[in-house]
Amino acid sequence: MRKVVDIEKDIKKEISKDITCTQWHSSVLLEGVVDTWDEVVLAGKIAAKGGYKGVVNKLEVKNLNIPDMKKPLISDNILDKKRVDVLIIGGGITGASIARELSKWNVSILLVDKEEDLAIHASSRNDGMIHPGISPKPGSKRAKFNVKGNKMYSRIAKELDVPFRRIGSLILFDKKFMRLAMPFIKRRAKLNGIEGIEYLNRKKILELEPSITENITGGFYIPSTGVLSPYKMTIAYGENAVLNGVEISFNTLVKSMEKKHGKIISVKTNRGTICPKVVINAGGIYSDKIADMADDMFFTIHPRKGEIILIDKKKGELLDTVVAKPSIGSTKGNTKGGGIVKTIDDNLLIGPDAYEQPYREDYTTNRDNISNLMEKFLPLLPKLSSKDVITYMAGTRASTYEEDFIIEASEYVANLIHAAGIQSPGLASAPAISEEIEKITIEKLSKITNVKRKENWNPIRKGIPRLNDMDIGKRNKFIKNNPNYGEIVCRCEEISKGEIIEAIHAPIPAKTVDGIKKRVRPGMGRCQGGFCMPFITKIIEDELGTDMTKITKKGKGSELLVNKTKDNNIYESREVGGQEHERV
């Protein structure tokens, strides 16, 4: 471990003399003012090399205005004075999987999230790849939980009725990179415990994937790589948790915490004050802010943004695996370099890229970044073109300066547990992370109360039947029993009215257009909801009795319609996300 004064000297020399560096508990604290966000990140990375537990980076940038966290537009007291054994903060894949694992025990559990639904942020803004574990540094928590979690998905996906395929991945190389790559890949696979990896020459690769470029020398095939829908998996985890007694409160923002004798005694939200015995911080991109509320901010999240391109299903036949061709530059950064992913729904995804920026909830896409992704990856599949692009999306990774997961009980707050800094491969790691957090939580609870396993815990959750996956005979029988399945609402994805109705009445009801989209996919095809959105809003109105003007895209503040026109049968639309939606 280096002396703090030496770290400060390096930072002053490299960046600015106005930066101070001190020790706080087991972490390094950075304070001062710099000119750019890049300097903030660089200072954090320099400090992270000092060997301390974490970096608390409180550097500010001159004239940079960072927007406040987006907050729910609801305020009431429905949770006031509510007592629970476990409070989970965060409704992404990490929080939802933890809730499901803890539901095995006879304890009261409440999961809160500031959004309208599960999987709003990183858990719905990634490529759905279950990474094999080749990228994380050997010995890191990312490597440990990635490899273990990958193996667990065969069982978890079956129990939760979520489509999952091990399609394998190809890491391609040309002659220039091959000599450097071969020993590195072999050693990394051995150290991380990845099984089944094999080297394929150019001929064998083209036999496996005949549509990819011939401009390759060879590569490695990793059979354990899988794909699934990240938002469907998150929702499935949440639904199984709810069916086993977990409570979920959406539109619930954690605002502050009260401590006494080194222990959290209450958590204040916009919906009342909660009194938990144990608090689990699964706050994703805001996990450092949650830690700070408990005076335990020993790490800092610096948002790392990435963009992804979605390709039309008609080109899905060009690829059966995940394909990547790393460059020498990508091995030096904090990204796996991106690639082309064959999704579980037979689309292709290109990307993601990765770059540092200060905004935690900025999901805009950048034209130059999209162009760079297409320039880099389209040559891997010569039959692809920009005309095959349906849409773009962006997500933000919850990166720490140590570039590793934080899976542990707090050192200074007796009843706080962190599942923080969960960046890629967080999706692949979720099953293993949740088991570890379950173990830590039960150990803590057992010291203060009698904890027993449930005798009637049910690991099985049944998903919504998918009409498009049925053969003709099964489809006809299904429609006969439920005529709503015979009415197609989304032509692009062949989604029926019956599927949408089931999503609305699921254990975690879909009450928004995006909520339905995540569960059963209407609006995810070529037209991106241009045809089916009016019909979806009408179904929501009929099923929930909600006034059409109150129906939202993704929660309060994103209403789709303004009011009725004079004839009282037609609604005026409003602009959402820069696009005006059709009249209904």
Side-chain angles (χ1 to χ4, degrees), residues 376-395:
K376 179 179 180 180
F377 292 113
L378 287 185
L380 290 180
L381 285 176
K383 293 181 182 179
L384 276 185
S385 77
S386 58
K387 295 179 181 179
D388 300 314
V389 174
I390 293 179
T391 190
Y392 322 108
M393 65 177 178

Side-chain angles (χ1 to χ4, degrees), residues 177 327-333:
F177 203 33
S327 61
I328 293 176
S330 70
T331 64
K332 296 179 180 179

Side-chain angles (χ1 to χ4, degrees), residues 390-445:
I390 293 179
T391 190
Y392 322 108
M393 65 177 178
T396 308
R397 303 166 177 88
S399 308
T400 65
Y401 288 104
E402 297 70 42
E403 300 297 341
D404 205 359
F405 298 156
I406 299 170
I407 314 294
E408 61 185 66
S410 169
E411 292 182 357
Y412 304 103
V413 183
N415 59 340
L416 176 62
I417 300 169
H418 297 292
I422 312 298
Q423 58 165 308
S424 180
L427 175 63
S429 306
I433 289 173
S434 59
E435 279 197 347
E436 182 68 14
I437 295 296
E438 173 201 6
K439 177 183 176 182
I440 297 170
T441 305
I442 296 305
E443 284 179 358
K444 282 195 172 294
L445 282 174

Side-chain angles (χ1 to χ4, degrees), residues 232-250:
K232 285 188 178 181
M233 178 55 73
T234 303
I235 290 165
Y237 263 125
E239 287 188 350
N240 188 237
V242 168
L243 292 171
N244 282 291
V246 172
E247 294 182 75
I248 296 181
S249 180
F250 294 121

Side-chain angles (χ1 to χ4, degrees), residues 466-494:
R466 177 82 185 273
L467 191 71
N468 198 28
D469 291 338
M470 302 177 189
D471 59 40
I472 294 296
K474 187 176 180 180
R475 181 182 294 201
N476 289 339
K477 183 177 180 181
F478 212 85
I479 293 171
K480 185 177 180 180
N481 292 331
N482 188 341
N484 284 323
Y485 274 81
E487 184 176 337
I488 299 298
V489 174
C490 174
R491 297 177 182 178
C492 297
E493 294 292 314
E494 296 184 36

Side-chain angles (χ1 to χ4, degrees), residues 64 332 584:
L64 176 63
K332 296 179 180 179
V584 181

